[in-house]
Amino acid sequence: MMERNQSADLLFEISKPGRRCHRVPPSGLPAVGLDSRFLSGGSPPLPEVAELDLVRHYTNLSARNMAIDSNFYPLGSCTMKYNPKRHERLVSLPGLASPHPLQPDKTVQGMLAILFEMQEMLAEIAGLHACSLQPSAGAQGELAALLVAAAYFRHRGENRTRVLVPDSAHGTNPASAAIAGFDSVTVKSGDDGLVDLADLESKLDERTAVFMITNPNTLGLFDHQILDITRKVHEKGGLVYLDGANMNAILGIARPGDFGADMMHYNVHKTFTGPHGAGGPGSGPIAVRDMLEPFLPSPMVIRDEKGGYCLQQDRPLSIGRVRAFFGNVGVLLRGWMYLRTLGPNGLREVSEQAVLNANYLLTLLRDHIDVPKGAGCMHEFVASAKILRREKRVSAMDIAKRLLDKGYHSPTVYFPLVVAEALMIEPTETESQETLERFAEVFVSILREDPETLHEAPHDLAISRPDEVAATKQPVLRWKSA
Amino acid sequence: MNPKDLKYAKSHEWVRVDGDTCVVGLTRFAVDQLTDITYIELPKVGERVTGGEGMGEVESVKAVSDIYAPLDGEIAAVNDALSMDASLVSRDPYGEGWLVRIRPAKDGRLDHLMSAEEYTRQTEGA
């Protein structure tokens, strides 16, 4: 195998005084003296490198990445799906790439038309009435929606202080509730992995502002009690929030608004193929029922009386801006292209294929590793290495690390918290039958390996197991010159 | 592996009665489940705690989990060494990695806690 480990040293380490990528010729203009108060003592300690060394540095670093374009990436809970390359070409068209957010509305009618249509399409897929495209990621969408809920109850003169969250929820749910000023209350899951109705009922009362539910949930199960759940929450005057992280399983098949959700967010960067990873860029639009529409962030794109489009700034009940300008428009554009390419029937096929792929992989794996709720699944399923850990001292982490050696990105591990030694696997709709079969073969072969080999994995990567405690406790955030 | 002279809570804390206070820590099982511990937040001396309710948090590279008070009472002492080195809990959960001392409330009871044998049975099933 080719030694890929060269030239990934820090730029500071390969720096040599006087080296440059470019030498700027003298401008010929007279120098202007700056007041000495504004001058620093000397040059900043920036690395000095030649262009080729710079290019190699970044190219070699990029080759260490595992990406959806190079490797199967079955990351449950954070849908990592293929990003069609056509979108990249289209978003770089001048009409889409060059508008400035401060241009007058009448000079960006095409862009506003796309954003308006995106609002409408997302509201329709949600089965809800209105949509704000502003939030720049799922968690910010959650926070914005909870602020909308708080504004709604304040407007009605109701004092509701609690947000209920199932124990299988994404950690962002209780965090968003806390940041929005609510007390977060945990609702237990039953043995079937679904919401424990009795526990929900015991915690529902007139203090409940919102019940947040992920459906399908993080175990990859559709909570069939959903109509019962949303009715119970509504009877107590609360709102139902749907965490849309798992929309990939139900697009065009079930609409959250139809099963009782009053608010939801999308992850355009997941479900609708915005390329993402390493923290961004995301896009987390929120859709809401009609009575919540006045409270949505400002501005919204609306049609004016002449049939054109404009930004509606005058929204007196709005919670205000949650993001500069109009959110992550680049991601929204890719999402719009995806929806436009597929259409309603194509979108439905996405979910059908995603669910079929996950179930096929489940049947290939469940005889080899415990899958606690493994009778069937939606778009993802959660295996457990609990028995392996007890019998062979092999943990979910060991399996995940060994997969890297074999050229597969690890699934999400140790989440959801309700499953011990969890491995959460989501293949997505675009993987072929052969890829799934090959992955299953490799996965099963890892389970048969000597535990020692697994404890020390990954063996073939530039970095094996980083010291996560040291990385948390003593992070090295700045390079210091010797 | 769970010391026989300790009492155990369902939520994976151990309790050792020591004079008029109770020493509380996390069990080996809990520590193994958490994996590498990075940070522990404990109540302050003098704070009142209620049995079964959260009194602190433990953060590992995997997740943040609540630490529950195993009995009603008042915090009499806190293991300050943990603020410097939380890994003491992983290395020596029943010794140097103790968390707090609780002075039990007047009517404080311990009879809801499990014996080592009962606790071991609970965790083997888990």
Side-chain angles (χ1 to χ4, degrees):
Chain A
M1 198 171 158
M2 187 174 68
E3 176 59 69
R4 285 189 305 171
N5 213 357
Q6 52 186 339
S7 301
D9 296 336
L10 295 181
L11 291 177
F12 288 102
E13 291 164 356
I14 59 172
S15 172
K16 285 276 183 284
R19 277 195 191 152
R20 292 284 183 278
C21 289
H22 303 288
R23 289 185 195 281
V24 184
S27 71
L29 295 170
V32 178
L34 278 177
D35 190 317
S36 61
R37 283 180 300 161
F38 303 124
L39 296 178
S40 63
S43 306
L46 295 175
E48 299 175 81
V49 294
E51 180 168 323
L52 179 56
D53 293 327
L54 183 72
V55 168
R56 281 197 187 135
H57 171 76
Y58 285 112
T59 306
N60 286 325
L61 278 184
S62 75
R64 289 183 174 189
N65 258 344
M66 254 191 194
I68 192 80
D69 285 353
S70 57
N71 304 72
F72 180 42
Y73 208 128
L75 190 68
S77 209
C78 187
T79 308
M80 293 297 281
K81 61 207 273 182
Y82 175 65
N83 314 128
K85 297 299 165 267
R86 189 166 61 138
H87 297 171
E88 302 310 309
R89 182 163 52 79
L90 294 175
V91 291
S92 62
L93 291 173
L96 296 177
S98 45
H100 190 280
L102 292 178
Q103 272 178 244
D105 292 353
K106 65 178 192 307
T107 66
V108 282
Q109 284 295 300
M111 177 68 85
L112 291 178
I114 288 176
L115 295 175
F116 179 81
E117 193 172 293
M118 187 68 172
Q119 287 177 179
E120 300 280 293
M121 288 194 293
L122 293 182
E124 183 179 340
I125 296 165
L128 292 167
H129 302 91
C131 170
S132 164
L133 304 177
Q134 252 186 48
S136 55
Q140 203 198 7
E142 292 173 23
L143 175 60
L146 289 174
L147 292 174
V148 165
Y152 167 74
F153 286 121
R154 208 177 307 124
H155 187 66
R156 289 167 60 93
E158 292 183 53
N159 182 26
R160 291 175 179 263
T161 54
R162 300 171 79 173
V163 168
L164 309 190
V165 183
D167 56 9
S168 61
H170 297 100
T172 48
N173 289 184
S176 298
I179 293 176
F182 292 104
D183 297 322
S184 162
V185 178
T186 304
V187 176
K188 284 190 201 128
S189 300
D191 290 337
D192 54 4
L194 307 177
V195 172
D196 180 336
L197 282 184
D199 195 53
L200 172 65
E201 268 182 282
S202 74
K203 287 165 182 167
L204 265 178
D205 55 26
E206 62 292 338
R207 288 175 297 175
T208 305
V210 180
F211 176 59
M212 301 179 87
I213 184 167
T214 310
N215 199 22
N217 68 16
T218 59
L219 290 161
L221 305 173
F222 190 89
D223 200 320
H224 57 80
Q225 316 165 105
I226 190 69
L227 291 175
D228 224 10
I229 291 170
T230 54
R231 185 177 46 77
K232 285 186 188 348
V233 176
H234 290 150
E235 277 170 5
K236 296 288 181 190
L239 296 170
V240 176
Y241 181 86
L242 181 102
D243 177 325
N246 293 340
M247 281 303 284
N248 214 43
I250 59 171
L251 295 169
I253 296 167
R255 302 196 307 172
D258 294 344
F259 58 66
D262 303 296
M263 316 183 274
M264 68 166 290
H265 78 263
Y266 289 96
N267 298 93
V268 177
H269 52 290
K270 300 181 188 182
T271 314
F272 303 133
T273 73
H276 71 297
S283 174
I286 51 174
V288 299
R289 208 174 279 289
D290 49 5
M291 74 282 192
L292 298 168
E293 192 273 341
F295 306 94
L296 280 177
S298 282
M300 303 271 290
V301 185
I302 56 165
R303 290 201 100 133
D304 60 26
E305 52 280 7
K306 292 178 208 133
Y309 300 90
C310 63
L311 291 178
Q312 183 192 36
Q313 309 280 1
D314 181 24
R315 298 173 47 75
L317 294 176
S318 165
I319 61 165
R321 274 189 185 281
V322 297
R323 180 73 163 73
F325 299 126
F326 217 78
N328 280 334
V329 170
V331 184
L332 292 166
L333 288 174
R334 288 170 175 87
W336 176 81
M337 286 161 193
Y338 186 67
L339 294 173
R340 270 297 183 189
T341 304
L342 290 167
N345 295 330
L347 207 55
R348 186 184 171 101
E349 279 176 49
V350 163
S351 287
E352 288 170 348
Q353 191 65 41
V355 172
L356 181 61
N357 271 358
N359 277 281
Y360 184 54
L361 193 51
L362 170 62
T363 59
L364 295 176
L365 290 180
R366 70 179 163 203
D367 293 338
H368 305 278
I369 186 166
D370 182 32
V371 182
K373 307 286 176 276
C377 66
M378 295 296 284
H379 65 304
E380 67 190 1
F381 60 91
V382 181
S384 167
K386 189 170 87 176
I387 298 169
L388 278 165
R389 185 168 166 186
R390 194 164 61 213
E391 292 176 355
K392 290 175 68 180
R393 303 298 294 165
V394 168
S395 67
M397 185 63 84
D398 297 331
I399 298 168
K401 295 289 186 188
R402 186 63 174 147
L403 278 169
L404 301 176
D405 273 337
K406 305 284 184 183
Y408 292 98
H409 194 283
S410 159
T412 293
V413 290
Y414 298 105
F415 181 81
L417 302 176
V418 290
V419 175
E421 294 291 325
L423 286 142
M424 186 192 224
I425 300 170
E426 177 181 6
T428 75
E429 64 279 8
T430 41
E431 298 300 336
S432 68
Q433 186 180 339
E434 293 75 23
T435 300
L436 301 179
E437 286 166 355
R438 180 76 195 120
F439 174 75
E441 262 173 50
V442 168
F443 194 99
V444 172
S445 75
I446 288 173
L447 300 179
R448 296 194 182 121
E449 282 188 296
D450 166 31
E452 285 310 305
T453 308
L454 302 186
H455 291 157
E456 283 154 32
H459 300 268
D460 299 338
L461 267 57
I463 294 171
S464 183
R465 294 201 186 193
D467 181 344
E468 293 182 63
V469 176
T472 312
K473 299 283 277 189
Q474 289 134 3
V476 180
L477 302 175
R478 284 181 70 176
W479 185 87
K480 287 201 185 83
S481 61
Chain B
M1 85 184 183
N2 295 308
K4 294 231 180 304
D5 56 328
L6 305 181
K7 293 283 193 185
Y8 296 86
K10 257 193 195 156
S11 48
H12 309 293
E13 292 84 15
W14 57 258
V15 176
R16 191 177 70 234
V17 181
D18 182 26
D20 60 350
T21 59
C22 293
V23 186
V24 177
L26 292 175
T27 65
R28 167 59 67 192
F29 175 83
V31 166
D32 283 351
Q33 292 290 310
L34 287 164
T35 69
D36 296 332
I37 293 171
T38 54
Y39 180 71
I40 292 186
E41 190 178 289
L42 294 172
K44 293 195 171 46
V45 173
E47 221 170 280
R48 291 198 175 282
V49 295
T50 308
E53 288 187 11
M55 64 166 184
E57 280 182 351
V58 53
E59 184 172 344
S60 72
V61 294
K62 226 165 73 174
V64 179
S65 312
D66 284 325
I67 302 170
Y68 295 93
L71 63 150
D72 294 351
E74 187 187 310
I75 301 296
V78 175
N79 186 356
D80 288 327
L82 300 182
S83 62
M84 298 301 293
D85 183 10
S87 70
L88 275 178
V89 177
S90 316
R91 287 206 304 276
D92 191 9
Y94 298 110
E96 280 186 68
W98 65 279
L99 302 178
V100 294
R101 275 178 184 270
I102 297 178
R103 186 179 325 290
K106 275 214 179 72
D107 50 355
R109 299 162 64 97
L110 296 175
D111 49 8
H112 60 289
L113 298 172
M114 287 179 275
S115 68
E117 210 172 43
E118 288 169 310
Y119 178 69
T120 305
R121 215 176 303 131
Q122 177 197 311
T123 54
E124 272 170 1

